[in-house]
Amino acid sequence: MIFGKLRIGTFCMKSFQKKSKILLTSRNRDVALHVDPRGFHLELRCLNPESSWKLFEKLAISWRSDSMTKTIMEKLGKEMIQYCGGLPLAITILGSLLATKQTQDEWEEVHKHIKPYLYEEQNLLINKVLALSYNDLPSHLKPCFLYLGNFPKDLEISTKILIRMWMGEGFISKIQHSGGREDTMDDVGHRYLRELVQRSMVLVGKKTSLGRIKTCQMHDLMRDFCISKVEEENFLHFTDTLSMKQRKEQIGKVRRLAIVSESGDNSIKGIKFNKYPYLRSLLYFQPQHDESYFKESCFKKFKLVRVLHLEYFKNHQRKLPKDIGFLIHLRYLSLKDSNVTKVPSSVGNLRCLETLDLRINFSPSHCCILLDYIYPHTNLLDSLSKPRVPNVFKYMKQLKHLYLPRDYSVCGMLELGNLCYLQTLVNVQPKTIKIPTWFKLNCLRVLKVRTNKEAQDAIQMLISRSRCPYIEKLNLYYPVKKLPKAHQFSPNLAKLTLSETNLEEDPMATLEKLPNLKILRLFSSAFEGKNMVCSKSGFSQLQSIVLSSLLNLEEWRVEEGAMPSLSHLEIKDCNLKKWRVEKGAVPTINHLEITVYNLEEWKVEEGAMPSLSHLKIKNCILKEWMVEKGAMTCLSNLEIKDCSLKEWRVEKGAMNSLSNLVIKGCILEGGKVEEGAMTNLNNLVIHDCTLKEWRVEKGAMTMTDLSKLVIRNCTLEGWKVEEGAMTNLNNLVIHDCTLKEWRVEKGAMTMTDLSKLVIRNCTLEGWKVEEGAMTNLNNLEINDCTLKEWRVEKGAMTMTDLSKLVIRNCTLEGWKVEEGAMTNLNNLEINDCTLKEWRVEKGAVTNLSNFLINNCTMTDCEVGAMPSSDHCEIIGCSGLMTISN
């Protein structure tokens, strides 16, 4: 009610008091949306390590005077703020607490007991603040939040697994809408998770291509609060098998048990399951090489269990005990990545099971490999090593999600005709299942078909809209050669993955007609042809496309008006030679990744890809890449790695939103950035490259916000920076490079805010700094270099604020500083160098206050004017240098 009134009041204020503003803070994003959905919503993020330290130092250290104590406090402080995880409130609390501690002993005491100080002391606010969020949760979300305490620290939790567990526990109920429509439990689960994220109680890990939450995790502080709340309410028991510390007074009351194994021993052996008669949920997390196993009779001890999570579970017998059939209340059972190859038929007793995951990580035993070697034509390896699936699914009428092994054997045919509620069917082999001709899988939403044999008729029958009318996600892993017609697919199909299908005809002609397709992935020989065309108005809803390992694909043409909703595109490990993106094509794409072996011609026409913001190009050979005027106008991040680019041309007005450009491990020949291109670039990094004839024209790369240009381990020939280019560059670092004919013209690189130019381990031939260039450079370091014919003309590098010019371990031949150059240089050090024909004309470096030449070899050097002898030191040098007054 109060938010509704506030919203009305806000609109009134906008109408009558247009200069007034309201700042509303809330832990719940929905509150802000309710007040004003169109207002500016700022979602605060955790601080990065640098910002965290800056805040902490300001509160606890910066104002102290004792330098020795400050050094110790800095060391302890950097270790302690790691526990804050970037949370400003935690950093403020810790910093304010330590501001009252004056001695090293007091700081070490806090360091020793950092967690109690952060979470348990009554005079601190953090637990109270976190408790506010928890207490504000509606009743149906509290158990969902507490259930996250089951998972180990820093684990990225799969959203699918979490929601299926919530379903198994009974935390999720269907929601009935008017008109008879109802949400599935998966939809409701995702809604619950989004609400926890919006309340800042859960962090988003990875997202799907369509922006849905794929993994999640908890902030360390929130997780510690969750664990404390779990213990307070006896919601679950979290057992570390290294210590095996269990609260004896609570064992009989424990409803949920999470076991974390880190020892590699048989960690289950030490747990007495007969003391957990009321167990509802058992989650087991273990390392890959742990050889833990259940005793044959242990499942009889907790017959009330509803969730059994045994991923990565291994035992030397490779079988699941038969008494699994006693768990008649079980809703969720996962053996994913376990080594169990024998699943007993007693699982057919689990009539309430909703999720069954049998994606077993099987590998043939040494005995099987030996028999296969002795009898190579008998298929013993397949028959003995494949997981055997019991033919009992027809009894599990409540089953919603069934995950079969990647390859399996079965006695007879799997009867699926009774599975009316089945929503997910993964790794099914069409020739191993039996479904009555009249039966429709009306609830099926996800279908993944996998087989290594051609079964065209059986597959088309399975995926047809008459059999599975509501499929939303379809994966096909089998040789099919020809796709069904577009009208034979489910009209609800939103995600399609094809792999090893060996299609001979261009699949785009069929797939672009699917009305609701949003994600398309073509993997590993999905298409064997050479040419692919996306026609005008095709793929009207497509948002993401991935092309990977299509080794025969040579040409892809995207016509004007194609893929109008595309936002994400990846091309990996393909032999694409010609790619043309016509004007007006893919107008909404914002993320593009390319890994193409031999892309000879890539043309992005004017007006194409106007929304592209992120572009990554890896391991490519581009012979001609042309970005026309007005193309890629929103591109902000460009990364080019391990590529060979010839004739890369960025026309005037192109890429004007580009802020970050990284070029690594590349060979660039004839690159040209025209005047008026890349005008807003503020960060350029070039590593491990060979650049030939790179030309930056006048007015190009003005880079008003440029903070750094880094060039490392590169060979540059003929790099020319014309007058008026890079005028605001403020930091330039050149490491481990060979530069030939580097020319900085008059008026170029004035760098008004430049703080440092560092050149290390480089070979420079013919470096010329013309009059009027680098006029405000204030710090120049040249280390471990060979410089030939370095010329600084009159009026160049006046460097009014220069504090130091340091040249170390270099060979300099023909270095000439003309009259009027470096006039304000006040500190010059030359160490461990060889100088040949160094000329400093009269009237140059006139304000030098400190001059040091140490351990150098000089041949035919002449300095026209020097400071007084009090400021001039020549130590350990040999050779001849003439100094005139």
Side-chain angles (χ1 to χ4, degrees):
M1 182 65 70
I2 184 67
F3 294 129
K5 292 180 179 178
L6 181 58
R7 184 177 181 180
I8 294 170
T10 304
F11 287 131
C12 292
M13 192 170 293
K14 286 180 179 178
S15 301
F16 301 111
Q17 300 177 357
K18 294 184 178 180
K19 293 184 179 181
S20 301
K21 294 179 177 66
I22 288 182
L23 176 64
L24 176 67
T25 62
S26 174
R27 297 179 302 278
N28 190 344
R29 188 170 181 268
D30 282 346
V31 173
L33 292 173
H34 180 75
V35 173
D36 187 359
R38 296 172 297 177
F40 176 70
H41 302 135
L42 176 62
E43 295 188 28
L44 298 179
R45 306 293 182 189
C46 292
L47 301 179
N48 60 31
E50 183 180 350
S51 299
S52 297
W53 174 249
K54 189 175 181 180
L55 174 60
F56 175 83
E57 186 182 34
K58 179 180 179 181
L59 292 170
I61 297 177
S62 61
W63 47 271
R64 300 180 189 271
S65 56
D66 188 345
S67 59
M68 184 66 71
T69 303
K70 286 177 69 173
T71 302
I72 296 171
M73 289 179 174
E74 285 176 0
K75 181 178 181 299
L76 295 172
K78 287 178 179 179
E79 294 176 4
M80 284 188 282
I81 62 169
Q82 293 179 8
Y83 289 92
C84 300
L87 196 65
L89 175 62
I91 297 168
T92 302
I93 289 172
L94 182 63
S96 301
L97 171 69
L98 290 170
T100 66
K101 310 294 182 183
Q102 305 303 324
T103 66
Q104 178 182 340
D105 290 340
E106 289 177 311
W107 274 59
E108 288 177 347
E109 181 67 18
V110 176
H111 180 270
K112 186 177 179 181
H113 303 288
I114 178 67
K115 283 194 176 183
Y117 272 104
L118 273 180
Y119 315 132
E120 295 174 11
E121 285 212 348
Q122 294 299 318
N123 61 331
L124 298 182
L125 296 175
I126 190 158
N127 243 18
K128 294 181 180 179
V129 171
L130 298 180
L132 287 173
S133 295
Y134 175 76
N135 294 333
D136 189 51
L137 285 176
S139 58
H140 64 274
L141 286 183
K142 286 184 177 179
C144 295
F145 170 75
L146 295 179
Y147 202 82
L148 290 162
N150 276 299
F151 296 90
K153 182 180 179 182
D154 298 327
L155 177 70
E156 280 204 15
I157 306 164
S158 167
T159 298
K160 286 183 182 178
I161 291 175
L162 178 63
I163 292 174
R164 306 280 160 78
M165 290 180 177
W166 285 350
M167 290 166 52
E169 284 275 1
F171 297 159
I172 299 176
S173 302
K174 289 184 179 179
I175 297 179
Q176 192 79 30
H177 296 277
S178 58
R181 185 180 66 86
E182 66 178 16
D183 291 339
T184 65
M185 289 190 178
D186 279 289
D187 293 333
V188 177
H190 278 284
R191 191 176 308 151
Y192 285 3
L193 182 60
R194 285 197 303 270
E195 189 165 349
L196 290 173
V197 169
Q198 289 170 355
R199 291 171 178 266
S200 303
M201 302 183 76
V202 175
L203 303 176
V204 176
K206 296 183 180 71
K207 287 188 174 183
T208 66
S209 301
L210 297 181
R212 204 169 191 181
I213 302 172
K214 187 175 183 179
T215 64
C216 63
Q217 58 189 140
M218 299 180 75
H219 190 283
D220 288 348
L221 293 177
M222 185 62 77
R223 183 180 182 275
D224 286 324
F225 169 78
C226 178
I227 295 300
S228 67
K229 205 70 182 174
V230 157
E231 292 176 350
E232 177 186 326
E233 299 187 9
N234 194 27
F235 182 82
L236 67 87
H237 192 69
F238 196 85
T239 302
D240 183 345
T241 56
L242 282 176
S243 60
M244 293 303 296
K245 291 181 180 178
Q246 300 176 347
R247 297 187 177 182
K248 295 181 180 179
E249 69 277 8
Q250 291 186 354
I251 282 181
K253 303 175 184 178
V254 171
R255 300 291 193 276
R256 299 167 187 88
L257 178 65
I259 304 169
V260 178
S261 171
E262 300 175 356
S263 62
D265 300 326
N266 187 1
S267 49
I268 291 181
K269 189 176 181 180
I271 300 177
K272 298 178 180 180
F273 287 105
N274 59 347
K275 295 189 176 181
Y276 295 94
Y278 302 104
L279 201 63
R280 299 289 191 277
S281 177
L282 174 61
L283 278 63
Y284 185 60
F285 303 96
Q286 68 168 43
Q288 187 175 359
H289 301 294
D290 194 342
E291 293 295 328
S292 300
Y293 61 92
F294 280 101
K295 293 181 179 179
E296 184 71 16
S297 60
C298 70
F299 288 125
K300 297 178 182 179
K301 307 298 183 183
F302 39 89
K303 294 181 180 180
L304 301 178
V305 73
R306 297 167 63 103
V307 174
L308 188 58
H309 180 80
L310 299 176
E311 287 192 8
Y312 295 101
F313 176 75
K314 295 178 177 63
N315 71 66
H316 60 272
Q317 296 176 334
R318 294 194 173 200
K319 67 179 182 180
L320 192 67
K322 293 180 181 179
D323 61 357
I324 187 74
F326 286 101
L327 308 182
I328 59 174
H329 298 285
L330 199 63
R331 264 72 170 174
Y332 172 97
L333 172 60
S334 176
L335 297 172
K336 184 181 177 183
D337 292 318
S338 71
N339 71 344
V340 174
T341 58
K342 296 179 182 179
V343 180
S345 59
S346 59
V347 297
N349 297 332
L350 310 179
R351 307 297 173 87
C352 296
L353 201 63
E354 297 174 345
T355 300
L356 176 59
D357 194 340
L358 299 177
R359 287 176 290 180
I360 295 162
N361 183 19
F362 69 93
S363 57
S365 65
H366 296 296
C367 179
C368 293
I369 295 172
L370 180 60
L371 287 172
D372 185 66
Y373 178 77
I374 298 172
Y375 306 104
H377 303 294
T378 58
N379 292 325
L380 280 173
L381 185 60
D382 284 346
S383 60
L384 293 176
S385 64
K386 284 183 182 179
R388 194 169 184 82
V389 176
N391 191 1
V392 294
F393 300 134
K394 60 184 176 182
Y395 305 116
M396 303 177 182
K397 295 183 180 181
Q398 300 301 315
L399 201 60
K400 294 182 175 67
H401 307 284
L402 175 58
Y403 300 86
L404 296 168
R406 287 174 61 92
D407 198 5
Y408 61 88
S409 62
V410 62
C411 181
M413 303 279 281
L414 292 177
E415 298 182 31
L416 306 181
N418 290 341
L419 305 185
C420 301
Y421 302 106
L422 192 64
Q423 298 174 20
T424 304
L425 181 57
V426 173
N427 293 335
V428 64
Q429 299 176 19
K431 286 194 171 183
T432 66
I433 63 173
K434 181 180 179 182
I435 304 176
T437 55
W438 53 267
F439 184 77
K440 287 187 178 182
L441 294 167
N442 285 327
C443 292
L444 194 66
R445 299 294 183 269
V446 179
L447 175 62
K448 298 185 180 181
V449 182
R450 185 183 296 275
T451 181
N452 55 8
K453 300 177 182 178
E454 289 194 28
Q456 186 84 22
D457 294 339
I459 292 167
Q460 290 205 6
M461 179 66 70
L462 180 61
I463 68 175
S464 66
R465 65 188 299 176
S466 60
R467 174 75 69 184
C468 306
Y470 302 108
I471 284 182
E472 296 174 358
K473 297 180 182 179
L474 176 62
N475 290 26
L476 302 180
Y477 300 92
Y478 63 89
V480 64
K481 294 190 177 180
K482 187 176 181 181
L483 285 175
K485 301 294 183 183
H487 69 271
Q488 294 178 299
F489 287 97
S490 164
N492 296 325
L493 189 62
K495 181 177 180 180
L496 176 62
T497 300
L498 304 179
S499 180
E500 300 176 6
T501 49
N502 306 123
L503 294 170
E504 296 174 352
E505 298 179 3
D506 182 1
M508 298 303 185
T510 298
L511 301 180
E512 67 184 8
K513 298 175 184 176
L514 300 179
N516 291 300
L517 189 64
K518 293 182 174 62
I519 301 175
L520 175 62
R521 303 188 301 175
L522 304 182
F523 293 151
S524 187
S525 302
F527 174 50
E528 297 288 356
K530 294 182 178 180
N531 300 313
M532 200 160 62
V533 178
C534 294
S535 60
K536 184 176 181 179
S537 303
F539 293 109
S540 60
Q541 300 296 320
L542 195 68
Q543 298 178 22
S544 174
I545 181 170
V546 178
L547 308 179
S548 179
S549 299
L550 305 181
L551 301 182
N552 294 328
L553 182 63
E554 294 183 0
E555 184 173 351
W556 182 26
R557 183 159 56 93
V558 183
E559 294 183 354
E560 181 180 356
M563 304 182 190
S565 302
L566 191 70
S567 61
H568 182 98
L569 170 60
E570 293 183 32
I571 306 175
K572 299 180 179 179
D573 304 327
C574 296
N575 278 325
L576 190 65
K577 293 182 179 180
K578 292 185 179 180
W579 182 25
R580 182 178 175 186
V581 185
E582 294 185 355
K583 180 179 180 180
V586 287
T588 58
I589 189 170
N590 58 48
H591 186 98
L592 172 59
E593 289 189 29
I594 304 175
T595 305
V596 181
Y597 298 133
N598 193 17
L599 185 58
E600 295 181 358
E601 182 181 336
W602 180 23
K603 185 176 181 181
V604 185
E605 295 187 357
E606 180 181 354
M609 298 184 174
S611 301
L612 184 66
S613 59
H614 289 76
L615 172 59
K616 290 185 180 180
I617 305 174
K618 298 178 183 178
N619 197 27
C620 297
I621 299 175
L622 283 82
K623 293 184 179 178
E624 186 177 341
W625 179 24
M626 182 175 179
V627 184
E628 291 190 351
K629 177 182 177 181
M632 298 184 176
T633 52
C634 290
L635 186 67
S636 59
N637 279 280
L638 172 58
E639 200 172 313
I640 306 174
K641 290 185 178 180
D642 305 318
C643 295
S644 175
L645 287 85
K646 296 181 180 179
E647 302 302 327
W648 176 28
R649 182 178 173 186
V650 184
E651 291 191 348
K652 180 179 180 179
M655 295 186 177
N656 275 349
S657 296
L658 189 66
S659 61
N660 188 34
L661 172 57
V662 178
I663 305 174
K664 293 183 179 178
C666 296
I667 299 173
L668 286 84
E669 296 184 17
K672 183 178 180 181
V673 183
E674 294 187 355
E675 179 181 355
M678 298 186 182
T679 52
N680 290 304
L681 187 66
N682 62 16
N683 198 333
L684 173 58
V685 179
I686 304 174
H687 287 187
D688 308 315
C689 295
T690 299
L691 290 86
K692 296 180 180 180
E693 302 300 329
W694 179 28
R695 182 177 174 187
V696 184
E697 292 191 349
K698 177 180 178 179
M701 292 183 174
T702 54
M703 299 185 272
T704 53
D705 298 317
L706 186 66
S707 60
K708 206 166 195 179
L709 167 56
V710 180
I711 304 175
R712 288 182 179 160
N713 198 26
C714 297
T715 300
L716 289 85
E717 296 183 14
W719 179 23
K720 182 179 179 182
V721 185
E722 295 187 355
E723 179 181 355
M726 298 186 180
T727 53
N728 292 306
L729 183 66
N730 61 15
N731 199 327
L732 173 59
V733 178
I734 304 174
H735 287 187
D736 307 316
C737 296
T738 298
L739 290 86
K740 296 181 180 180
E741 303 300 329
W742 177 25
R743 183 176 174 187
V744 185
E745 292 190 348
K746 177 180 178 179
M749 288 185 173
T750 54
M751 298 185 270
T752 54
D753 298 317
L754 186 65
S755 60
K756 207 167 196 178
L757 167 56
V758 180
I759 305 176
R760 289 179 182 162
N761 197 26
C762 297
T763 301
L764 287 85
E765 296 183 14
W767 179 24
K768 182 179 178 182
V769 184
E770 295 187 355
E771 179 180 355
M774 297 186 179
T775 52
N776 293 304
L777 183 66
N778 61 15
N779 198 327
L780 173 60
E781 289 188 20
I782 304 174
N783 296 339
D784 307 316
C785 295
T786 299
L787 289 85
K788 296 181 180 180
E789 303 299 329
W790 177 25
R791 182 177 174 187
V792 184
E793 293 189 348
K794 177 180 179 179
M797 289 184 174
T798 54
M799 299 184 272
T800 54
D801 297 317
L802 186 66
S803 60
K804 209 168 198 179
L805 167 56
V806 180
I807 304 175
R808 291 178 182 151
N809 197 26
C810 296
T811 301
L812 289 85
E813 296 184 16
W815 177 23
K816 183 177 180 181
V817 185
E818 295 186 355
E819 178 182 356
M822 298 186 179
T823 52
N824 292 306
L825 183 66
N826 58 21
N827 198 327
L828 173 61
E829 290 186 19
I830 305 175
N831 297 330
D832 306 313
C833 294
T834 298
L835 291 86
K836 295 180 181 181
E837 299 184 11
W838 176 31
R839 296 284 186 272
V840 181
E841 293 187 353
K842 187 173 182 179
V845 290
T846 52
N847 291 310
L848 192 64
S849 61
N850 186 29
F851 179 37
L852 171 64
I853 302 179
N854 182 36
N855 197 26
C856 294
T857 300
M858 294 172 285
T859 304
D860 193 17
C861 297
E862 183 177 341
V863 179
M866 292 299 299
S868 63
S869 58
D870 292 341
H871 301 281
C872 178
E873 292 186 64
I874 302 176
I875 305 171
C877 296
S878 62
L880 177 63
M881 181 174 72
T882 304
I883 301 176
S884 58
N885 294 322

